[in-house]
Each structure stands twice: as C-alpha cells, then as structure tokens.
Amino acid sequence: MEHPVHKVVIIGAGHAGGTLATTLRQYKFEGEVTLLGDEGRPPYQRPPLSKAWLMGEVEEKDLFLKPHAYYTDNRIDLHVDESVTQIDRHARLVTTASGRKFSYDVLVFATGARARTTEVLDCQSEGVVTLRDMKDASTLRERAKQAKNVVIVGGGYIGLEAAASISKLGASVSIVERDARLLSRAASQAIADALQTRHESAGVRFFFGTTVIAVERDGLRVRAVRLENGQTLDCDLLLVGMGVIPNDALAHVAGIACDGGILVNTESASSDPRVFAIGDVAVHCASRFGATRRVESISNAVDQAKQVAAQIVGRPVPRLDVPWFWSDQYELKVQMAGLPNADSTALTRTSTQADGTTVLYMSGDQIVGVETINRPRDFMVARTAISRGQRLNLDIVREPDAPLASALLQS
C-alpha cells in the first residue's frame, strides 16, 4: 500500500471479518488488529444454521471459526458487543454505540447483510422469524420443535434448506413463492424441478405466483396466513426468507460510494483507498464478473479477505477465484460454481447409468458456470475448467454417459 499500516479496524465479526483478522496474523502482520462485532459471539460459520444446527446435530462451539482464546493469543482485539455508529474518514476514527473510539490506517467493512422483511411480515410477533444469524437460528430451532404447521415465505436456498430440516422434525411445511418457480434467479429449471420433486416427496407443499398479504394472530401468536390468491394456510410458525439487504448504511453516510452495497474494485478497495469491503456487503465492479453484482458466497468472502490481507502486508494481490456455492437438502448435495450471464446456454446432462443432474452453462464452447446434484466429480471438473477458461467438445458433452473430463479441450 502507498501508506504505512499500523492499525486495521474490521467492522463485522462474521466469516469475512474473522477470516481477514486471522489471515493478517498468518501473514505476519505485526500491527494492531481490531475486530468489531455486535452478535455477542466470535466469528462462526453460517451455512450450518439452516441444516445441522437446525437439526440439533452440532453445538454452538462447533461453529466457531476459531476458539475464543485464539484471538487473545494472537493479539486480535475482538469485541463481540460493539455496534459501530459513526465513521470519520478525515480523522480515520470509528465510534461505537458505547462511546468507544478506534483509530485506523485501514478500515474494512465486513458488515454482511440482513434479512429482508415487510410490514405485513412483522418479525416482532411471536412465531414470525428470519434466518440470518445464530440468534435467528436458535429461535427457529426451539419453535420448530413445537410447530405443527410451518409456512416459509421465499423459495430460495435458505427456505429450501430450512424446509428440508423442519420437515424431518415432523411439521407440515408449505413454501410460498411469488415467482412461477423455485430459484428463478439462482438456478436452472432442471435443478429447480429436481429439488421441488424431492421436497414434494417429503410432503412439502408449494404455492407459486402468490405471496402473504396478511398474518392472522391470537394475541401475538400466529395461527394462519392469507395469500394474495385468496387461500388461507394454517400456520403456527412463519419463516421469512425473501432475500437480504446489504448493511451499507454506515459506509453511505461516511461518503463511500454505494449502490445496493459498497462498490469495490477488482482488489476489494472502495472509493476511499484506505477503506475496503468484503463479503456479502461488497458490490463487485463489472470487470470482475461481467456485471456489477454482490456475491453471497463463503468462498468469495474468504478470497476477498486474503486479497485485503495481502495488500496490507505488501504481498502480491491474488485474483478472486471463481465463486462457488453449495446446498444440502435431504440426501441431495447441490453444488454450483461460476456466475453465468443471460447470454450463456444451459446444457443439462442426466446420465442413464447414475443418479444426479449436471447443468453446464456455455458461452460458445467455453464453460462459464455449472450446477450439479449428487455429481461431485462433474462439479470439480467443471469448476476447474471455469477457473482456467477451458473449452469443451460439445459433441461429447451431449453424450449423457460420457465422463465430463473427456470433453475438456486443451487451452
């Protein structure tokens, strides 16, 4: 960096922020590292919240990225109950709700995103919950144990994972999705259809092209929801899973460029060269993914953290790898990589000899994205090919039982 760095302040003690703090020490940074969180816990893994945690298969301590003592032992000044209220970029000073002030040479936003709700879906009512953090997940887990009729608003991956877990607990589960199908912005029709079929075999009901317009209550307790299409569904637990809103308000007020999140360049720097943004709050420039977008992915958060750490200590800055994602539902392992655009063509491969599905997104003969269900080998071959910019022999790709690796062409 052009200026010396002695003090790093990280706002947000989630996966991105926690990874950055630990990576700085791994890279032998000797300056001060301050990690400010407001969840009352050290950094932890979020993906299990809708799966293993909800099923009671793991304990809270199993989710922590590092034991609490690690931060003290490695001189990371971790604060788990400090909510930041103000940033003075001129004085390079961060102020928290408790009145504490922290100075910085480099400031990093790792503030993530919060669950989207509406006035109708009031999460202050008993029986209406979201699923974004450990507090949400703990509330959902306790209420799901007693629930008989669960309604999930939103047919995205979080809602589907929660539906798979809750249905195993014995509750009747209904998913309300305003679009005409599941995962309309996140997955192909083939993947969505396969997941819907599996959920329906477990008794999950789907209501498409409608949304919740009213919640009926006995006092504060939810007893039913009314849909836009006129139907009423019994409900004693309502999970709102309609996507997220990036936590960029602090940055916006501080004068940092934002547009649906904090705008960053290919090296995760914001419009202020002393300020970076990583994880779900960061909006990548068009040159990175072909379009300006946020990327909600653990792999992306980790890669960005490594980028910022490298710049702070003077290492070569690694490029961001191809983002990849996964989702576990029942016995189905869904894996995705790449970010295909509207111009790419989807090719579905369903073998006659084995279960599972592979969807390849092609730009000409170059692979730009992949989705698989229970096809780990296809996923790994495709993910590597996307990263390398490799081309495929489309004639071989269209042979359903030909190994995907055999279709790779030398670059």
Side-chain angles (χ1 to χ4, degrees):
M1 302 190 73
E2 295 182 359
H3 44 79
V5 179
H6 303 291
K7 297 181 179 181
V8 177
V9 173
I10 306 165
I11 305 176
H15 209 124
T19 299
L20 174 56
T22 59
T23 303
L24 282 170
R25 291 306 186 219
Q26 291 168 6
Y27 287 0
K28 309 302 182 185
F29 177 67
E30 295 297 330
E32 297 180 15
V33 178
T34 301
L35 183 56
L36 302 175
D38 59 4
E39 291 190 44
R41 297 173 173 86
Y44 60 87
Q45 304 175 61
R46 295 180 191 270
L49 296 181
S50 58
K51 300 181 280 285
W53 172 263
L54 194 51
M55 293 295 297
E57 297 171 351
V58 296
E59 298 181 24
E60 182 172 322
K61 62 180 179 61
D62 298 325
L63 302 186
F64 294 148
L65 299 185
K66 298 287 185 182
H68 206 298
Y70 171 92
Y71 301 94
T72 302
D73 294 344
N74 288 273
R75 298 182 295 109
I76 296 172
D77 189 17
L78 172 63
H79 300 262
V80 297
D81 285 304
E82 288 285 2
S83 177
V84 175
T85 57
Q86 185 177 3
I87 296 164
D88 184 337
R89 290 197 293 133
H90 178 72
R92 299 204 297 274
L93 205 62
V94 171
T95 303
T96 69
S98 67
R100 301 190 64 174
K101 297 182 183 297
F102 301 88
S103 60
Y104 67 85
D105 299 310
V106 166
L107 177 65
V108 183
F109 282 89
T111 45
R114 63 191 182 278
R116 186 184 300 276
T117 60
T118 67
E119 185 175 346
V120 170
L121 302 172
D122 178 13
C123 293
Q124 300 303 313
S125 298
E126 183 178 340
V128 183
V129 297
T130 57
L131 181 51
R132 189 64 190 170
D133 56 28
M134 181 72 76
K135 181 179 178 181
D136 291 339
S138 297
T139 300
L140 178 60
R141 184 167 73 172
E142 291 308 308
R143 291 179 178 173
K145 292 176 183 177
Q146 308 300 323
K148 295 182 179 179
N149 297 291
V150 179
V151 173
I152 299 173
V153 182
Y157 279 111
I158 291 296
L160 291 173
E161 290 171 358
S165 298
I166 293 171
S167 65
K168 292 178 183 178
L169 298 176
S172 172
V173 180
S174 299
I175 293 180
V176 179
E177 169 55 55
R178 67 182 304 167
D179 289 334
R181 70 168 177 90
L182 297 175
L183 303 168
S184 60
R185 293 174 297 279
S188 64
Q189 184 79 53
I191 297 296
D193 288 348
L195 293 176
Q196 181 178 340
T197 298
R198 179 62 183 90
H199 277 276
E200 288 176 335
S201 73
V204 177
R205 299 188 300 165
F206 292 91
F207 299 83
F208 293 107
T210 189
T211 191
V212 174
I213 60 170
V215 179
E216 299 179 1
R217 300 176 174 85
D218 285 330
L220 290 178
R221 294 191 175 186
V222 175
R223 68 177 183 86
V225 296
R226 283 190 282 124
L227 305 185
E228 191 176 38
N229 65 8
Q231 291 179 279
T232 297
L233 305 179
D234 290 339
C235 175
D236 50 18
L237 178 59
L238 178 60
L239 171 60
V240 183
M242 304 187 303
V244 298
I245 300 171
N247 293 319
D248 61 355
L250 275 172
H252 180 74
V253 171
I256 295 168
C258 298
D259 184 7
I262 302 171
L263 296 172
V264 299
N265 65 13
T266 56
E267 296 183 347
S268 300
S270 76
S271 57
D272 182 333
R274 290 183 179 269
V275 178
F276 295 81
I278 61 178
D280 290 359
V281 75
V283 178
H284 299 267
C285 63
S287 61
R288 171 65 185 101
F289 298 117
T292 302
R293 65 173 76 192
R294 289 188 312 108
V295 180
E296 296 175 33
S297 161
I298 295 296
S299 66
N300 176 69
V302 171
D303 286 349
Q304 281 195 283
K306 292 178 179 178
Q307 270 198 332
V308 175
Q311 291 171 80
I312 290 171
V313 302
R315 289 190 176 199
V317 182
R319 72 180 183 89
L320 296 179
D321 200 357
V322 173
W324 60 278
F325 319 80
W326 78 93
S327 176
D328 294 318
Q329 300 170 41
Y330 309 105
E331 77 286 354
L332 304 183
K333 181 75 170 184
V334 186
Q335 294 174 289
M336 300 145 283
L339 293 169
N341 55 44
D343 297 328
S344 56
T345 301
L347 297 177
T348 301
R349 307 182 82 227
T350 303
S351 172
T352 60
Q353 300 176 356
D355 293 334
T357 301
T358 298
V359 178
L360 304 175
Y361 289 89
M362 307 299 300
S363 178
D365 62 358
Q366 184 173 338
I367 181 171
V368 296
V370 63
E371 302 166 346
T372 64
I373 296 179
N374 292 351
R375 291 281 187 84
R377 182 172 298 179
D378 277 7
F379 173 73
M380 290 306 300
V381 169
R383 177 184 164 192
T384 301
I386 296 167
S387 181
R388 294 175 177 174
Q390 283 183 279
R391 297 176 298 116
L392 299 181
N393 183 320
L394 296 183
D395 290 334
I396 297 178
V397 168
R398 293 187 177 96
E399 296 178 14
D401 294 321
L404 183 58
S406 68
L408 295 175
L409 298 173
Q410 295 300 316
S411 300

